Amino acid sequence: MKKILLLFLLSSFSIAAQKVDLSYYLPKNTTYNTNIPTPESVIGHEVGEWHITHDKLVEYMKILAASSDRISIENRGKTYEDRPLLLLTITSAENHKNLESIREKHIDATNSNSVDVSNNPIVVYQGFSIHGNEASGSNAALAVAYYLAAAENIDDLLNNVVILFDPSLNPDGLQRFAYWANTNRSANLNPDPNDREFFEIWPRGRTNHYQFDMNRDWLPVQLPESTARIASFHKWLPNILTDHHEMGSNSSFFFQPGIPSRTNPLTPQMNQDLTKEIATYHAKALDKIGSLYYSEESFDDFYYGKGSTFPDINGSIGILFEQGSSRGHAQETVNGVLTFPFTIRNQFTAALSTLEAAKSMRVKILKYQQSFYQESRNTGVNKAVVFGDEKDAAKSFHLAEVMKKHKIKIHEVKSDFTENGKTFKKGYSYVVPMNQKNHRLVKAMFDVRTTFKDSLFYDVSAWTFNHAFGLDYAENVSISKAGAEITDLKMKLGSVSGKSDYGYLLPWNEFYTPKALNAILQKGIRAKVSMRNFKNGGNSYDYGTIFIPVQNQKLNTTDLYNFLTKVAADSHTTITGVSTGLNDGIDMGSNNFRAITKPKVAMIVGDGVTGNDTGEIWHLFDQRFDMHITRLDTRNLGRVDLSKYTHIVIPSSRLEKSDIEKIKTWVRNGGVVVGYKNTASWLASNKMINLSFDKAKRDSVKNITFENKSLFSGAQVIGGAIFEAKIDRSHPINFGYKNDKIALFRNSTMFLKADKNSYNNPIQYTNKPLLSGYISKENAAVIPNTVPFKVERFGRGRVIVFTDNTNFRAFWFGTNKLLMNTIFFGNMM
């Protein structure tokens, strides 16, 4: 009978909207407490009949928690769209009476190998639909939560397992997708893959409000959703964490382990062995309902910023589930018609098989976690790492902030010192002792790896944090360099040194100086930028220093001082009042101080434009620098008056021909266009900038079988690695950088040949540029001495291109200033 039902749901359905009963998901031969409300009784429809909206999901979880002594609920914060970030704790009523004691004992076991764990409950974190349009996970959460609250024969499970239940890891994205799927649902379900229901509009529901892929933020922790779940993770240190996703509609069901050769070497082998043993429980459960599945053939466990991999460097076991997606309510696939309820049932089944494995393997997994931390304590060397930037306290702070979120102990620098030619200044640098519990996590954050077992990566192959944040770094530093441990991390305060009747200087080195300058210009205050180094009052000032004269401003002397004091405080910058314009070097009245124009920035978004890139830029302007950026949709571009904008940013895209002449005219009239990645080739092909491209030379392929053809081709992709470039600090694109080298993130194979004139190559890859990550030998032979940046005049305007994203995933603080330099100084390049 079960097989007949399965075939029915895969191959046919009634012309009316399919109606399934809750019993379709639930295990057979189980009785349920009738006092526990079913999902349908609260949300008004059966699970899988419609896509659950986040508000209804929240409503049900709250009512369920109020109805059951097995569940407690907490709101850990809000998304950017003010949706709650719920977490349910599900365990037996008896465990709930002693929950904090259970948690403390669980944490104590990770701190000492002498603690007996044999009677401790195991902790499982279950998270659903971190990609909002992979909705079967969160919809399955309705049925899973009901089962755990109402099933009457699961006392053994609940006595031995504490479940941290996260029904929606991405509330904003889930809501966006549910709206799309439901508004395009027909009463008579149409499974034709060409139907509009399956073509979600830009930017789609995969991402959060600012279009971030949140399943890449477990390690960097830059988003509010991530901050909440990481706090829960470290509070409990769960033994297993599951991450429920979807994949292509023609796929079946995947569970980990992934491809063995693509496991990060820092992950213990026992982790993978236990993952494989847990997999047998998934297989048994899916066999029982007749579902197809596979394992170990795709996906990897390399980048620790994913939900299924982050636990692996924290003594836990991360497990990825990938369900072939219906993308709506029912869709034709190579396996027949795939219905939404069928995808939900597979997710439900895997959620329960995880709990069954946790209960059965409880002591073994608890002892593994205990041994993980025991080994960590035993192998932690009595040395430290140090990171910082003597001229930029904010970037250093933000990396320290990430470490504090991960419960890593950090210390202030006892006193200024120099290591490997770099100065680490108190208040601008932090010391991280390696003889601490989380030293493996610290090692993973700063990991440098250039050789690999495999050449394919599901995600980035490098994320080395000192490079990402653009900081000086040293390891194996004496622990004597550490001052007091920092328990209350605070960002450096901003200030104005004193009131001036002449002018103020704002060094461009600090991360938040663009925020300060924008506030100054938006106020209508005149400001200039120094094109050369100089000294004033015994202090040295670099290229890019901002000068705000006192005279001939719209504010009087006192009001200007008061306003700048507020700006300095808001932007954590130091502004210095000066008493003379006579400098050692260029003087304040020199033409080498150039007037800065108030920017009015637009960005092209919409169909054909990479959503993640646009979101990262929007987030940078809106959240980091409090700057407006007008998003111009490609559908409306032809009707927009571009003359009101000084800059247009175009993330990776190829625009329609109808837009070419309009943009050309705008640039000729003085506009600055900033193009990323594929936009560079589009601008070149339309003769707005002269670019010469280079590409890897590949000999004829020999000894590669048809089976391995895709592996060979995939190895030529740069999935995400870090490269070193030398910079000309006198060029406006590099204002604010103190070193003559910069670390750049790259995930493209676009190689630009350098100009014959060195001054036209302000950023140029070095002879041996690879700092961390994978690059094929063919691409490695091409990239040396190419350039990732180019600028040319076009009429009265400028055309600026970057081969790669300088704002990657919100944690590449080290290159954010490159985009800001194009905004404030682009017309000077």
Side-chain angles (χ1 to χ4, degrees), residues 294-311:
Y294 70 100
S295 185
E296 297 188 283
E297 293 180 37
S298 59
F299 302 102
D300 63 38
D301 276 325
F302 193 83
Y303 171 49
Y304 287 123
K306 296 186 300 179
S308 60
T309 313
F310 172 77

Side-chain angles (χ1 to χ4, degrees), residues 190-458:
N190 184 355
D192 187 338
N194 294 317
D195 189 75
R196 187 171 189 260
E197 181 178 1
F198 310 115
F199 293 90
E200 189 186 358
I201 58 171
W202 192 96
R204 296 175 287 279
R206 176 182 176 89
T207 56
N208 76 342
H209 176 78
Y210 284 101
Q211 300 157 226
F212 282 94
D213 184 335
M214 293 195 300
N215 197 38
R216 305 299 185 266
D217 194 46
W218 290 77
L219 191 62
V221 205
Q222 295 301 307
L223 307 170
E225 301 92 337
S226 310
T227 299
R229 66 174 180 259
I230 290 300
S232 297
F233 183 94
H234 287 297
K235 178 181 178 180
W236 272 97
L237 291 181
N239 301 96
I240 301 173
L241 186 147
T242 58
D243 192 15
H244 292 255
H245 288 253
E246 291 181 351
M247 53 184 168
S249 300
N250 290 319
S251 301
S252 58
F253 190 87
F254 169 86
F255 49 79
Q256 283 181 313
I259 297 175
S261 61
R262 299 177 194 169
T263 300
N264 195 300
L266 296 177
T267 299
Q269 180 58 43
M270 181 57 73
N271 171 284
Q272 295 295 288
D273 294 342
L274 291 170
T275 303
K276 195 164 186 175
E277 185 175 348
I278 292 170
T280 64
Y281 289 82
H282 307 319
K284 181 179 178 180
L286 292 167
D287 284 343
K288 190 174 181 179
I289 63 171
S291 287
L292 301 177
Y293 56 84
Y294 70 100
S295 185
E296 297 188 283
E297 293 180 37
S298 59
F299 302 102
D300 63 38
D301 276 325
F302 193 83
Y303 171 49
Y304 287 123
K306 296 186 300 179
S308 60
T309 313
F310 172 77
D312 298 343
I313 197 64
N314 286 282
S316 305
I317 299 167
I319 300 177
L320 170 69
F321 296 121
E322 292 275 356
Q323 165 63 48
S325 178
S326 64
R327 293 297 176 209
H329 293 84
Q331 184 176 171
E332 294 169 358
T333 74
V334 296
N335 295 313
V337 174
L338 179 63
T339 68
F340 188 41
F342 178 78
T343 68
I344 293 170
R345 187 169 71 154
N346 280 345
Q347 299 277 26
F348 175 92
T349 300
L352 263 57
S353 63
T354 300
L355 298 178
E356 180 62 28
K359 183 190 73 172
S360 301
M361 300 170 60
R362 178 179 59 85
V363 176
K364 183 188 298 187
I365 294 174
L366 286 169
K367 286 185 175 179
Y368 162 71
Q369 185 182 57
Q370 194 174 35
S371 67
F372 176 95
Y373 283 108
Q374 178 186 355
E375 185 179 342
S376 294
R377 290 190 298 271
N378 292 342
T379 56
V381 295
N382 195 30
K383 292 285 187 178
V385 299
V386 60
F387 61 85
D389 185 323
E390 62 178 310
K391 292 188 176 182
D392 188 348
K395 282 191 307 183
S396 303
F397 165 84
H398 282 301
L399 178 49
E401 183 180 42
V402 171
M403 305 191 102
K404 291 293 287 184
K405 288 179 180 180
H406 285 300
K407 304 299 181 184
I408 293 168
K409 294 180 180 179
I410 60 174
H411 294 245
E412 64 181 16
V413 171
K414 184 182 294 184
S415 58
D416 300 356
F417 70 96
T418 300
E419 189 84 14
N420 300 331
K422 303 296 183 182
T423 298
F424 296 97
K425 186 177 175 182
K426 187 172 183 178
Y428 291 74
S429 304
Y430 301 89
V431 176
V432 185
M434 292 301 286
N435 59 341
Q436 61 173 295
K437 177 179 179 178
N438 287 329
H439 96 271
R440 276 179 167 171
L441 182 57
V442 176
K443 189 174 181 181
M445 287 178 167
F446 296 106
D447 190 40
V448 173
R449 199 167 298 276
T450 56
T451 58
F452 302 85
K453 288 183 179 181
D454 207 321
S455 56
L456 294 183
F457 299 88
Y458 186 69

Side-chain angles (χ1 to χ4, degrees), residues 655-672:
L655 301 180
E656 297 294 330
K657 289 185 178 180
S658 58
D659 299 320
I660 295 171
E661 289 305 319
K662 184 169 188 172
I663 293 176
K664 276 187 173 180
T665 300
W666 173 80
V667 177
R668 284 193 189 101
N669 290 334
V672 177

Side-chain angles (χ1 to χ4, degrees), residues 10 71 114 205 246 275 337 355 368 428 453 476 490 494 505 574 616 647 703 707 710 714 736 775 795 810 812:
L10 279 174
I71 301 176
S114 63
E246 291 181 351
T275 303
V337 174
L355 298 178
Y368 162 71
Y428 291 74
K453 288 183 179 181
N476 294 321
K490 293 182 179 179
L505 293 175
T574 298
E616 288 156 0
H647 296 70
N703 300 319
E707 178 185 9
S710 61
I775 185 173
W812 270 84

